Amino acid sequence: MDNHDDDARNLEQLLESLIKMVGKANHNVDSLQKRVSQLEWLIKEQQFELRERGLIRIYSKHPHRSSHLI
């Protein structure tokens, strides 16, 4: 009878451990989804700002002399 009680207790502990593991995994997935959502929002905001401002000038208005003139 004691063996049966030990088996039941071991199964209960195993079940509790599995529930904790799944809970932690779900928490990690939720955190990751939140970060992905934040990054998506940030990218959309940056794209909106770029559209509002127009094209960004990448190059200087005054180009440098070419190397063959130096």
Side-chain angles (χ1 to χ4, degrees), residues 46-69:
Q46 287 179 342
Q47 288 174 342
F48 176 75
E49 287 178 16
L50 288 175
R51 278 194 301 269
E52 289 296 311
R53 279 194 255 147
L55 295 176
I56 297 174
R57 185 178 297 271
I58 296 173
Y59 299 104
S60 169
K61 293 180 181 179
H62 308 288
H64 299 281
R65 290 191 214 174
S66 65
S67 60
H68 72 282
L69 296 177

mmCIF file with all atom_site columns, all heavy atoms in Angstrom, residues 46-69:
data_model
loop_
_atom_site.group_PDB
_atom_site.id
_atom_site.type_symbol
_atom_site.label_atom_id
_atom_site.label_alt_id
_atom_site.label_comp_id
_atom_site.label_asym_id
_atom_site.label_entity_id
_atom_site.label_seq_id
_atom_site.pdbx_PDB_ins_code
_atom_site.Cartn_x
_atom_site.Cartn_y
_atom_site.Cartn_z
_atom_site.occupancy
_atom_site.B_iso_or_equiv
_atom_site.pdbx_formal_charge
_atom_site.auth_seq_id
_atom_site.auth_comp_id
_atom_site.auth_asym_id
_atom_site.auth_atom_id
_atom_site.pdbx_PDB_model_num
ATOM 1   N N   . GLN A 1 46 ? 8.571  54.311 -37.763 1.00 0.00 ? 46 GLN A N   1
ATOM 2   C CA  . GLN A 1 46 ? 9.703  54.836 -38.525 1.00 0.00 ? 46 GLN A CA  1
ATOM 3   C C   . GLN A 1 46 ? 9.346  54.972 -39.996 1.00 0.00 ? 46 GLN A C   1
ATOM 4   O O   . GLN A 1 46 ? 9.691  55.967 -40.638 1.00 0.00 ? 46 GLN A O   1
ATOM 5   C CB  . GLN A 1 46 ? 10.930 53.943 -38.355 1.00 0.00 ? 46 GLN A CB  1
ATOM 6   C CG  . GLN A 1 46 ? 11.565 54.076 -36.993 1.00 0.00 ? 46 GLN A CG  1
ATOM 7   C CD  . GLN A 1 46 ? 12.761 53.164 -36.812 1.00 0.00 ? 46 GLN A CD  1
ATOM 8   O OE1 . GLN A 1 46 ? 12.947 52.203 -37.556 1.00 0.00 ? 46 GLN A OE1 1
ATOM 9   N NE2 . GLN A 1 46 ? 13.567 53.454 -35.815 1.00 0.00 ? 46 GLN A NE2 1
ATOM 10  N N   . GLN A 1 47 ? 8.653  53.988 -40.539 1.00 0.00 ? 47 GLN A N   1
ATOM 11  C CA  . GLN A 1 47 ? 8.237  54.073 -41.944 1.00 0.00 ? 47 GLN A CA  1
ATOM 12  C C   . GLN A 1 47 ? 7.286  55.241 -42.150 1.00 0.00 ? 47 GLN A C   1
ATOM 13  O O   . GLN A 1 47 ? 7.381  55.958 -43.140 1.00 0.00 ? 47 GLN A O   1
ATOM 14  C CB  . GLN A 1 47 ? 7.580  52.766 -42.379 1.00 0.00 ? 47 GLN A CB  1
ATOM 15  C CG  . GLN A 1 47 ? 8.546  51.623 -42.530 1.00 0.00 ? 47 GLN A CG  1
ATOM 16  C CD  . GLN A 1 47 ? 7.853  50.307 -42.833 1.00 0.00 ? 47 GLN A CD  1
ATOM 17  O OE1 . GLN A 1 47 ? 6.650  50.166 -42.614 1.00 0.00 ? 47 GLN A OE1 1
ATOM 18  N NE2 . GLN A 1 47 ? 8.612  49.353 -43.320 1.00 0.00 ? 47 GLN A NE2 1
ATOM 19  N N   . PHE A 1 48 ? 6.383  55.473 -41.216 1.00 0.00 ? 48 PHE A N   1
ATOM 20  C CA  . PHE A 1 48 ? 5.453  56.591 -41.301 1.00 0.00 ? 48 PHE A CA  1
ATOM 21  C C   . PHE A 1 48 ? 6.209  57.918 -41.284 1.00 0.00 ? 48 PHE A C   1
ATOM 22  O O   . PHE A 1 48 ? 5.944  58.809 -42.085 1.00 0.00 ? 48 PHE A O   1
ATOM 23  C CB  . PHE A 1 48 ? 4.446  56.534 -40.149 1.00 0.00 ? 48 PHE A CB  1
ATOM 24  C CG  . PHE A 1 48 ? 3.516  57.698 -40.103 1.00 0.00 ? 48 PHE A CG  1
ATOM 25  C CD1 . PHE A 1 48 ? 2.469  57.798 -41.007 1.00 0.00 ? 48 PHE A CD1 1
ATOM 26  C CD2 . PHE A 1 48 ? 3.692  58.705 -39.166 1.00 0.00 ? 48 PHE A CD2 1
ATOM 27  C CE1 . PHE A 1 48 ? 1.608  58.884 -40.974 1.00 0.00 ? 48 PHE A CE1 1
ATOM 28  C CE2 . PHE A 1 48 ? 2.842  59.789 -39.121 1.00 0.00 ? 48 PHE A CE2 1
ATOM 29  C CZ  . PHE A 1 48 ? 1.799  59.876 -40.033 1.00 0.00 ? 48 PHE A CZ  1
ATOM 30  N N   . GLU A 1 49 ? 7.166  58.038 -40.365 1.00 0.00 ? 49 GLU A N   1
ATOM 31  C CA  . GLU A 1 49 ? 7.953  59.267 -40.273 1.00 0.00 ? 49 GLU A CA  1
ATOM 32  C C   . GLU A 1 49 ? 8.741  59.511 -41.557 1.00 0.00 ? 49 GLU A C   1
ATOM 33  O O   . GLU A 1 49 ? 8.836  60.651 -42.020 1.00 0.00 ? 49 GLU A O   1
ATOM 34  C CB  . GLU A 1 49 ? 8.894  59.205 -39.077 1.00 0.00 ? 49 GLU A CB  1
ATOM 35  C CG  . GLU A 1 49 ? 8.193  59.347 -37.748 1.00 0.00 ? 49 GLU A CG  1
ATOM 36  C CD  . GLU A 1 49 ? 9.143  59.241 -36.570 1.00 0.00 ? 49 GLU A CD  1
ATOM 37  O OE1 . GLU A 1 49 ? 10.373 59.361 -36.767 1.00 0.00 ? 49 GLU A OE1 1
ATOM 38  O OE2 . GLU A 1 49 ? 8.650  59.036 -35.447 1.00 0.00 ? 49 GLU A OE2 1
ATOM 39  N N   . LEU A 1 50 ? 9.300  58.466 -42.129 1.00 0.00 ? 50 LEU A N   1
ATOM 40  C CA  . LEU A 1 50 ? 10.052 58.617 -43.378 1.00 0.00 ? 50 LEU A CA  1
ATOM 41  C C   . LEU A 1 50 ? 9.138  59.079 -44.503 1.00 0.00 ? 50 LEU A C   1
ATOM 42  O O   . LEU A 1 50 ? 9.508  59.941 -45.304 1.00 0.00 ? 50 LEU A O   1
ATOM 43  C CB  . LEU A 1 50 ? 10.742 57.305 -43.767 1.00 0.00 ? 50 LEU A CB  1
ATOM 44  C CG  . LEU A 1 50 ? 11.936 56.903 -42.903 1.00 0.00 ? 50 LEU A CG  1
ATOM 45  C CD1 . LEU A 1 50 ? 12.438 55.522 -43.324 1.00 0.00 ? 50 LEU A CD1 1
ATOM 46  C CD2 . LEU A 1 50 ? 13.040 57.931 -42.989 1.00 0.00 ? 50 LEU A CD2 1
ATOM 47  N N   . ARG A 1 51 ? 7.933  58.542 -44.566 1.00 0.00 ? 51 ARG A N   1
ATOM 48  C CA  . ARG A 1 51 ? 6.982  58.961 -45.606 1.00 0.00 ? 51 ARG A CA  1
ATOM 49  C C   . ARG A 1 51 ? 6.568  60.419 -45.402 1.00 0.00 ? 51 ARG A C   1
ATOM 50  O O   . ARG A 1 51 ? 6.415  61.172 -46.352 1.00 0.00 ? 51 ARG A O   1
ATOM 51  C CB  . ARG A 1 51 ? 5.752  58.061 -45.597 1.00 0.00 ? 51 ARG A CB  1
ATOM 52  C CG  . ARG A 1 51 ? 5.939  56.764 -46.342 1.00 0.00 ? 51 ARG A CG  1
ATOM 53  C CD  . ARG A 1 51 ? 4.599  56.092 -46.588 1.00 0.00 ? 51 ARG A CD  1
ATOM 54  N NE  . ARG A 1 51 ? 3.876  55.795 -45.356 1.00 0.00 ? 51 ARG A NE  1
ATOM 55  C CZ  . ARG A 1 51 ? 3.961  54.677 -44.670 1.00 0.00 ? 51 ARG A CZ  1
ATOM 56  N NH1 . ARG A 1 51 ? 4.738  53.717 -45.086 1.00 0.00 ? 51 ARG A NH1 1
ATOM 57  N NH2 . ARG A 1 51 ? 3.255  54.510 -43.567 1.00 0.00 ? 51 ARG A NH2 1
ATOM 58  N N   . GLU A 1 52 ? 6.395  60.820 -44.145 1.00 0.00 ? 52 GLU A N   1
ATOM 59  C CA  . GLU A 1 52 ? 5.993  62.186 -43.855 1.00 0.00 ? 52 GLU A CA  1
ATOM 60  C C   . GLU A 1 52 ? 7.087  63.189 -44.199 1.00 0.00 ? 52 GLU A C   1
ATOM 61  O O   . GLU A 1 52 ? 6.817  64.273 -44.669 1.00 0.00 ? 52 GLU A O   1
ATOM 62  C CB  . GLU A 1 52 ? 5.620  62.331 -42.373 1.00 0.00 ? 52 GLU A CB  1
ATOM 63  C CG  . GLU A 1 52 ? 4.328  61.642 -42.004 1.00 0.00 ? 52 GLU A CG  1
ATOM 64  C CD  . GLU A 1 52 ? 3.130  62.244 -42.704 1.00 0.00 ? 52 GLU A CD  1
ATOM 65  O OE1 . GLU A 1 52 ? 2.989  63.470 -42.679 1.00 0.00 ? 52 GLU A OE1 1
ATOM 66  O OE2 . GLU A 1 52 ? 2.333  61.470 -43.278 1.00 0.00 ? 52 GLU A OE2 1
ATOM 67  N N   . ARG A 1 53 ? 8.335  62.824 -43.945 1.00 0.00 ? 53 ARG A N   1
ATOM 68  C CA  . ARG A 1 53 ? 9.453  63.729 -44.199 1.00 0.00 ? 53 ARG A CA  1
ATOM 69  C C   . ARG A 1 53 ? 9.922  63.696 -45.646 1.00 0.00 ? 53 ARG A C   1
ATOM 70  O O   . ARG A 1 53 ? 10.622 64.577 -46.080 1.00 0.00 ? 53 ARG A O   1
ATOM 71  C CB  . ARG A 1 53 ? 10.643 63.350 -43.315 1.00 0.00 ? 53 ARG A CB  1
ATOM 72  C CG  . ARG A 1 53 ? 10.520 63.884 -41.924 1.00 0.00 ? 53 ARG A CG  1
ATOM 73  C CD  . ARG A 1 53 ? 11.836 63.781 -41.225 1.00 0.00 ? 53 ARG A CD  1
ATOM 74  N NE  . ARG A 1 53 ? 11.756 62.681 -40.276 1.00 0.00 ? 53 ARG A NE  1
ATOM 75  C CZ  . ARG A 1 53 ? 12.756 61.894 -39.944 1.00 0.00 ? 53 ARG A CZ  1
ATOM 76  N NH1 . ARG A 1 53 ? 13.923 62.035 -40.485 1.00 0.00 ? 53 ARG A NH1 1
ATOM 77  N NH2 . ARG A 1 53 ? 12.594 60.948 -39.068 1.00 0.00 ? 53 ARG A NH2 1
ATOM 78  N N   . GLY A 1 54 ? 9.576  62.651 -46.354 1.00 0.00 ? 54 GLY A N   1
ATOM 79  C CA  . GLY A 1 54 ? 10.063 62.502 -47.717 1.00 0.00 ? 54 GLY A CA  1
ATOM 80  C C   . GLY A 1 54 ? 11.390 61.774 -47.713 1.00 0.00 ? 54 GLY A C   1
ATOM 81  O O   . GLY A 1 54 ? 11.832 61.229 -46.717 1.00 0.00 ? 54 GLY A O   1
ATOM 82  N N   . LEU A 1 55 ? 12.047 61.789 -48.843 1.00 0.00 ? 55 LEU A N   1
ATOM 83  C CA  . LEU A 1 55 ? 13.317 61.070 -48.962 1.00 0.00 ? 55 LEU A CA  1
ATOM 84  C C   . LEU A 1 55 ? 14.385 61.715 -48.096 1.00 0.00 ? 55 LEU A C   1
ATOM 85  O O   . LEU A 1 55 ? 14.455 62.931 -47.960 1.00 0.00 ? 55 LEU A O   1
ATOM 86  C CB  . LEU A 1 55 ? 13.781 61.066 -50.415 1.00 0.00 ? 55 LEU A CB  1
ATOM 87  C CG  . LEU A 1 55 ? 12.888 60.291 -51.381 1.00 0.00 ? 55 LEU A CG  1
ATOM 88  C CD1 . LEU A 1 55 ? 13.420 60.453 -52.799 1.00 0.00 ? 55 LEU A CD1 1
ATOM 89  C CD2 . LEU A 1 55 ? 12.853 58.828 -51.006 1.00 0.00 ? 55 LEU A CD2 1
ATOM 90  N N   . ILE A 1 56 ? 15.216 60.906 -47.550 1.00 0.00 ? 56 ILE A N   1
ATOM 91  C CA  . ILE A 1 56 ? 16.329 61.386 -46.743 1.00 0.00 ? 56 ILE A CA  1
ATOM 92  C C   . ILE A 1 56 ? 17.538 61.533 -47.651 1.00 0.00 ? 56 ILE A C   1
ATOM 93  O O   . ILE A 1 56 ? 17.846 60.654 -48.452 1.00 0.00 ? 56 ILE A O   1
ATOM 94  C CB  . ILE A 1 56 ? 16.658 60.400 -45.604 1.00 0.00 ? 56 ILE A CB  1
ATOM 95  C CG1 . ILE A 1 56 ? 15.476 60.296 -44.665 1.00 0.00 ? 56 ILE A CG1 1
ATOM 96  C CG2 . ILE A 1 56 ? 17.907 60.810 -44.873 1.00 0.00 ? 56 ILE A CG2 1
ATOM 97  C CD1 . ILE A 1 56 ? 15.646 59.249 -43.596 1.00 0.00 ? 56 ILE A CD1 1
ATOM 98  N N   . ARG A 1 57 ? 18.234 62.669 -47.535 1.00 0.00 ? 57 ARG A N   1
ATOM 99  C CA  . ARG A 1 57 ? 19.426 62.883 -48.343 1.00 0.00 ? 57 ARG A CA  1
ATOM 100 C C   . ARG A 1 57 ? 20.562 62.093 -47.709 1.00 0.00 ? 57 ARG A C   1
ATOM 101 O O   . ARG A 1 57 ? 20.961 62.360 -46.585 1.00 0.00 ? 57 ARG A O   1
ATOM 102 C CB  . ARG A 1 57 ? 19.776 64.364 -48.402 1.00 0.00 ? 57 ARG A CB  1
ATOM 103 C CG  . ARG A 1 57 ? 20.940 64.660 -49.317 1.00 0.00 ? 57 ARG A CG  1
ATOM 104 C CD  . ARG A 1 57 ? 21.200 66.137 -49.353 1.00 0.00 ? 57 ARG A CD  1
ATOM 105 N NE  . ARG A 1 57 ? 20.068 66.866 -49.897 1.00 0.00 ? 57 ARG A NE  1
ATOM 106 C CZ  . ARG A 1 57 ? 19.906 67.128 -51.186 1.00 0.00 ? 57 ARG A CZ  1
ATOM 107 N NH1 . ARG A 1 57 ? 20.798 66.728 -52.057 1.00 0.00 ? 57 ARG A NH1 1
ATOM 108 N NH2 . ARG A 1 57 ? 18.859 67.802 -51.599 1.00 0.00 ? 57 ARG A NH2 1
ATOM 109 N N   . ILE A 1 58 ? 21.044 61.103 -48.448 1.00 0.00 ? 58 ILE A N   1
ATOM 110 C CA  . ILE A 1 58 ? 22.105 60.248 -47.941 1.00 0.00 ? 58 ILE A CA  1
ATOM 111 C C   . ILE A 1 58 ? 23.467 60.883 -48.216 1.00 0.00 ? 58 ILE A C   1
ATOM 112 O O   . ILE A 1 58 ? 24.377 60.806 -47.419 1.00 0.00 ? 58 ILE A O   1
ATOM 113 C CB  . ILE A 1 58 ? 22.030 58.848 -48.585 1.00 0.00 ? 58 ILE A CB  1
ATOM 114 C CG1 . ILE A 1 58 ? 20.732 58.182 -48.173 1.00 0.00 ? 58 ILE A CG1 1
ATOM 115 C CG2 . ILE A 1 58 ? 23.218 57.996 -48.174 1.00 0.00 ? 58 ILE A CG2 1
ATOM 116 C CD1 . ILE A 1 58 ? 20.469 56.881 -48.880 1.00 0.00 ? 58 ILE A CD1 1
ATOM 117 N N   . TYR A 1 59 ? 23.580 61.539 -49.352 1.00 0.00 ? 59 TYR A N   1
ATOM 118 C CA  . TYR A 1 59 ? 24.861 62.084 -49.761 1.00 0.00 ? 59 TYR A CA  1
ATOM 119 C C   . TYR A 1 59 ? 24.915 63.575 -49.481 1.00 0.00 ? 59 TYR A C   1
ATOM 120 O O   . TYR A 1 59 ? 23.903 64.261 -49.437 1.00 0.00 ? 59 TYR A O   1
ATOM 121 C CB  . TYR A 1 59 ? 25.082 61.830 -51.250 1.00 0.00 ? 59 TYR A CB  1
ATOM 122 C CG  . TYR A 1 59 ? 25.099 60.355 -51.579 1.00 0.00 ? 59 TYR A CG  1
ATOM 123 C CD1 . TYR A 1 59 ? 24.001 59.754 -52.184 1.00 0.00 ? 59 TYR A CD1 1
ATOM 124 C CD2 . TYR A 1 59 ? 26.181 59.574 -51.253 1.00 0.00 ? 59 TYR A CD2 1
ATOM 125 C CE1 . TYR A 1 59 ? 24.005 58.410 -52.467 1.00 0.00 ? 59 TYR A CE1 1
ATOM 126 C CE2 . TYR A 1 59 ? 26.193 58.220 -51.534 1.00 0.00 ? 59 TYR A CE2 1
ATOM 127 C CZ  . TYR A 1 59 ? 25.103 57.644 -52.136 1.00 0.00 ? 59 TYR A CZ  1
ATOM 128 O OH  . TYR A 1 59 ? 25.099 56.321 -52.411 1.00 0.00 ? 59 TYR A OH  1
ATOM 129 N N   . SER A 1 60 ? 26.102 64.070 -49.339 1.00 0.00 ? 60 SER A N   1
ATOM 130 C CA  . SER A 1 60 ? 26.310 65.484 -49.085 1.00 0.00 ? 60 SER A CA  1
ATOM 131 C C   . SER A 1 60 ? 25.888 66.307 -50.298 1.00 0.00 ? 60 SER A C   1
ATOM 132 O O   . SER A 1 60 ? 25.940 65.847 -51.438 1.00 0.00 ? 60 SER A O   1
ATOM 133 C CB  . SER A 1 60 ? 27.792 65.718 -48.786 1.00 0.00 ? 60 SER A CB  1
ATOM 134 O OG  . SER A 1 60 ? 28.089 67.086 -48.773 1.00 0.00 ? 60 SER A OG  1
ATOM 135 N N   . LYS A 1 61 ? 25.513 67.560 -50.060 1.00 0.00 ? 61 LYS A N   1
ATOM 136 C CA  . LYS A 1 61 ? 25.188 68.459 -51.158 1.00 0.00 ? 61 LYS A CA  1
ATOM 137 C C   . LYS A 1 61 ? 26.451 68.858 -51.904 1.00 0.00 ? 61 LYS A C   1
ATOM 138 O O   . LYS A 1 61 ? 26.395 69.283 -53.053 1.00 0.00 ? 61 LYS A O   1
ATOM 139 C CB  . LYS A 1 61 ? 24.496 69.718 -50.621 1.00 0.00 ? 61 LYS A CB  1
ATOM 140 C CG  . LYS A 1 61 ? 23.141 69.462 -50.046 1.00 0.00 ? 61 LYS A CG  1
ATOM 141 C CD  . LYS A 1 61 ? 22.527 70.751 -49.549 1.00 0.00 ? 61 LYS A CD  1
ATOM 142 C CE  . LYS A 1 61 ? 21.166 70.498 -48.936 1.00 0.00 ? 61 LYS A CE  1
ATOM 143 N NZ  . LYS A 1 61 ? 20.549 71.722 -48.429 1.00 0.00 ? 61 LYS A NZ  1
ATOM 144 N N   . HIS A 1 62 ? 27.589 68.754 -51.237 1.00 0.00 ? 62 HIS A N   1
ATOM 145 C CA  . HIS A 1 62 ? 28.858 69.140 -51.835 1.00 0.00 ? 62 HIS A CA  1
ATOM 146 C C   . HIS A 1 62 ? 29.727 67.907 -51.976 1.00 0.00 ? 62 HIS A C   1
ATOM 147 O O   . HIS A 1 62 ? 30.424 67.516 -51.057 1.00 0.00 ? 62 HIS A O   1
ATOM 148 C CB  . HIS A 1 62 ? 29.571 70.163 -50.952 1.00 0.00 ? 62 HIS A CB  1
ATOM 149 C CG  . HIS A 1 62 ? 28.690 71.325 -50.610 1.00 0.00 ? 62 HIS A CG  1
ATOM 150 N ND1 . HIS A 1 62 ? 28.345 72.277 -51.534 1.00 0.00 ? 62 HIS A ND1 1
ATOM 151 C CD2 . HIS A 1 62 ? 28.078 71.673 -49.464 1.00 0.00 ? 62 HIS A CD2 1
ATOM 152 C CE1 . HIS A 1 62 ? 27.552 73.175 -50.969 1.00 0.00 ? 62 HIS A CE1 1
ATOM 153 N NE2 . HIS A 1 62 ? 27.362 72.815 -49.705 1.00 0.00 ? 62 HIS A NE2 1
ATOM 154 N N   . PRO A 1 63 ? 29.707 67.282 -53.141 1.00 0.00 ? 63 PRO A N   1
ATOM 155 C CA  . PRO A 1 63 ? 30.493 66.045 -53.304 1.00 0.00 ? 63 PRO A CA  1
ATOM 156 C C   . PRO A 1 63 ? 32.001 66.332 -53.158 1.00 0.00 ? 63 PRO A C   1
ATOM 157 O O   . PRO A 1 63 ? 32.460 67.418 -53.474 1.00 0.00 ? 63 PRO A O   1
ATOM 158 C CB  . PRO A 1 63 ? 30.141 65.562 -54.703 1.00 0.00 ? 63 PRO A CB  1
ATOM 159 C CG  . PRO A 1 63 ? 29.562 66.739 -55.387 1.00 0.00 ? 63 PRO A CG  1
ATOM 160 C CD  . PRO A 1 63 ? 29.019 67.664 -54.361 1.00 0.00 ? 63 PRO A CD  1
ATOM 161 N N   . HIS A 1 64 ? 32.712 65.361 -52.684 1.00 0.00 ? 64 HIS A N   1
ATOM 162 C CA  . HIS A 1 64 ? 34.154 65.480 -52.531 1.00 0.00 ? 64 HIS A CA  1
ATOM 163 C C   . HIS A 1 64 ? 34.809 65.406 -53.914 1.00 0.00 ? 64 HIS A C   1
ATOM 164 O O   . HIS A 1 64 ? 34.242 64.870 -54.868 1.00 0.00 ? 64 HIS A O   1
ATOM 165 C CB  . HIS A 1 64 ? 34.697 64.333 -51.659 1.00 0.00 ? 64 HIS A CB  1
ATOM 166 C CG  . HIS A 1 64 ? 34.115 64.352 -50.285 1.00 0.00 ? 64 HIS A CG  1
ATOM 167 N ND1 . HIS A 1 64 ? 34.547 65.198 -49.321 1.00 0.00 ? 64 HIS A ND1 1
ATOM 168 C CD2 . HIS A 1 64 ? 33.117 63.630 -49.730 1.00 0.00 ? 64 HIS A CD2 1
ATOM 169 C CE1 . HIS A 1 64 ? 33.868 65.004 -48.218 1.00 0.00 ? 64 HIS A CE1 1
ATOM 170 N NE2 . HIS A 1 64 ? 32.971 64.046 -48.429 1.00 0.00 ? 64 HIS A NE2 1
ATOM 171 N N   . ARG A 1 65 ? 35.996 65.936 -53.961 1.00 0.00 ? 65 ARG A N   1
ATOM 172 C CA  . ARG A 1 65 ? 36.736 65.828 -55.220 1.00 0.00 ? 65 ARG A CA  1
ATOM 173 C C   . ARG A 1 65 ? 37.025 64.377 -55.512 1.00 0.00 ? 65 ARG A C   1
ATOM 174 O O   . ARG A 1 65 ? 37.245 63.593 -54.591 1.00 0.00 ? 65 ARG A O   1
ATOM 175 C CB  . ARG A 1 65 ? 38.073 66.560 -55.126 1.00 0.00 ? 65 ARG A CB  1
ATOM 176 C CG  . ARG A 1 65 ? 37.952 68.027 -55.081 1.00 0.00 ? 65 ARG A CG  1
ATOM 177 C CD  . ARG A 1 65 ? 39.321 68.577 -55.259 1.00 0.00 ? 65 ARG A CD  1
ATOM 178 N NE  . ARG A 1 65 ? 39.467 69.803 -54.479 1.00 0.00 ? 65 ARG A NE  1
ATOM 179 C CZ  . ARG A 1 65 ? 40.604 70.435 -54.356 1.00 0.00 ? 65 ARG A CZ  1
ATOM 180 N NH1 . ARG A 1 65 ? 41.686 69.986 -54.932 1.00 0.00 ? 65 ARG A NH1 1
ATOM 181 N NH2 . ARG A 1 65 ? 40.657 71.541 -53.658 1.00 0.00 ? 65 ARG A NH2 1
ATOM 182 N N   . SER A 1 66 ? 37.066 64.022 -56.740 1.00 0.00 ? 66 SER A N   1
ATOM 183 C CA  . SER A 1 66 ? 37.403 62.641 -57.077 1.00 0.00 ? 66 SER A CA  1
ATOM 184 C C   . SER A 1 66 ? 38.890 62.435 -56.847 1.00 0.00 ? 66 SER A C   1
ATOM 185 O O   . SER A 1 66 ? 39.677 63.380 -56.868 1.00 0.00 ? 66 SER A O   1
ATOM 186 C CB  . SER A 1 66 ? 37.023 62.322 -58.520 1.00 0.00 ? 66 SER A CB  1
ATOM 187 O OG  . SER A 1 66 ? 37.789 63.090 -59.407 1.00 0.00 ? 66 SER A OG  1
ATOM 188 N N   . SER A 1 67 ? 39.276 61.211 -56.627 1.00 0.00 ? 67 SER A N   1
ATOM 189 C CA  . SER A 1 67 ? 40.655 60.899 -56.275 1.00 0.00 ? 67 SER A CA  1
ATOM 190 C C   . SER A 1 67 ? 41.646 61.221 -57.398 1.00 0.00 ? 67 SER A C   1
ATOM 191 O O   . SER A 1 67 ? 42.799 61.490 -57.163 1.00 0.00 ? 67 SER A O   1
ATOM 192 C CB  . SER A 1 67 ? 40.792 59.438 -55.859 1.00 0.00 ? 67 SER A CB  1
ATOM 193 O OG  . SER A 1 67 ? 40.396 58.630 -56.932 1.00 0.00 ? 67 SER A OG  1
ATOM 194 N N   . HIS A 1 68 ? 41.204 61.249 -58.648 1.00 0.00 ? 68 HIS A N   1
ATOM 195 C CA  . HIS A 1 68 ? 42.153 61.517 -59.729 1.00 0.00 ? 68 HIS A CA  1
ATOM 196 C C   . HIS A 1 68 ? 42.516 63.009 -59.820 1.00 0.00 ? 68 HIS A C   1
ATOM 197 O O   . HIS A 1 68 ? 43.472 63.386 -60.473 1.00 0.00 ? 68 HIS A O   1
ATOM 198 C CB  . HIS A 1 68 ? 41.618 61.004 -61.082 1.00 0.00 ? 68 HIS A CB  1
ATOM 199 C CG  . HIS A 1 68 ? 40.491 61.809 -61.649 1.00 0.00 ? 68 HIS A CG  1
ATOM 200 N ND1 . HIS A 1 68 ? 39.204 61.690 -61.202 1.00 0.00 ? 68 HIS A ND1 1
ATOM 201 C CD2 . HIS A 1 68 ? 40.478 62.754 -62.617 1.00 0.00 ? 68 HIS A CD2 1
ATOM 202 C CE1 . HIS A 1 68 ? 38.428 62.529 -61.886 1.00 0.00 ? 68 HIS A CE1 1
ATOM 203 N NE2 . HIS A 1 68 ? 39.195 63.189 -62.750 1.00 0.00 ? 68 HIS A NE2 1
ATOM 204 N N   . LEU A 1 69 ? 41.792 63.876 -59.100 1.00 0.00 ? 69 LEU A N   1
ATOM 205 C CA  . LEU A 1 69 ? 42.119 65.301 -59.116 1.00 0.00 ? 69 LEU A CA  1
ATOM 206 C C   . LEU A 1 69 ? 43.075 65.668 -57.968 1.00 0.00 ? 69 LEU A C   1
ATOM 207 O O   . LEU A 1 69 ? 43.580 66.782 -57.940 1.00 0.00 ? 69 LEU A O   1
ATOM 208 C CB  . LEU A 1 69 ? 40.840 66.142 -58.993 1.00 0.00 ? 69 LEU A CB  1
ATOM 209 C CG  . LEU A 1 69 ? 39.843 66.028 -60.148 1.00 0.00 ? 69 LEU A CG  1
ATOM 210 C CD1 . LEU A 1 69 ? 38.622 66.842 -59.832 1.00 0.00 ? 69 LEU A CD1 1
ATOM 211 C CD2 . LEU A 1 69 ? 40.481 66.474 -61.457 1.00 0.00 ? 69 LEU A CD2 1
#
